[in-house]
Amino acid sequence: MPPPPMSPQAGFAVTLLGYAAASLTTLSFFPQAIKTLRGADVSGISLRSYGLLTIGITAWAVYGLLVGDGPLIAANLITLLPASLVLQRRLQAEFERRRR
C-alpha cells in the first residue's frame, strides 16, 4: 500500500533530508581519496571492496537518473569521483605488485 500524499512543505523537508544525507555520505569519501592521493601506500585498501563499491555507486547513479531522484543522482555522481580515484590507485598498485 503506498504512503499517503505529503503536503508540499513535508515533501520539501523530505527532499532537504535527502540532500543532507547525500552530502554527508558523499563528503565521507573525500578524506580517503585525499589520503590516497597524498600517500603511496594503498595496501590497506581492499581492491574487491572498492571495486564493488564503485560499481554500486555507478548503478545507484543510473537508478537515480532513471527514477529522477535528485539527491540520489547528485550524491552518487559526486561520490563516483573520489571512489574512482581510490580504486584507480589501488588497481595501479596491484598491477605493479604482480609485475614484480
Side-chain angles (χ1 to χ4, degrees):
M1 175 181 238
M6 280 190 251
S7 70
Q9 295 84 5
F12 182 71
V14 169
T15 299
L16 281 180
L17 176 62
Y19 277 107
S23 296
L24 292 171
T25 56
T26 296
L27 288 173
S28 73
F29 282 89
F30 281 89
Q32 182 67 59
I34 291 167
K35 183 177 180 181
T36 301
L37 290 172
R38 287 183 179 163
D41 183 21
V42 292
S43 62
I45 296 172
S46 168
L47 179 56
R48 287 187 182 126
S49 177
Y50 257 85
L52 291 170
L53 177 68
T54 305
I55 292 167
I57 290 167
T58 303
W60 274 116
V62 171
Y63 174 80
L65 287 167
L66 292 172
V67 300
D69 187 322
L72 199 58
I73 296 165
N76 286 289
L77 288 178
I78 294 168
T79 303
L80 194 55
L81 176 65
S84 295
L85 288 171
V86 171
L87 179 60
Q88 183 272 332
R89 287 289 173 104
R90 184 60 183 89
L91 282 168
Q92 184 179 9
E94 184 65 21
F95 289 139
E96 288 174 10
R97 184 188 70 80
R98 289 184 183 199
R99 272 191 261 167
R100 293 182 207 160

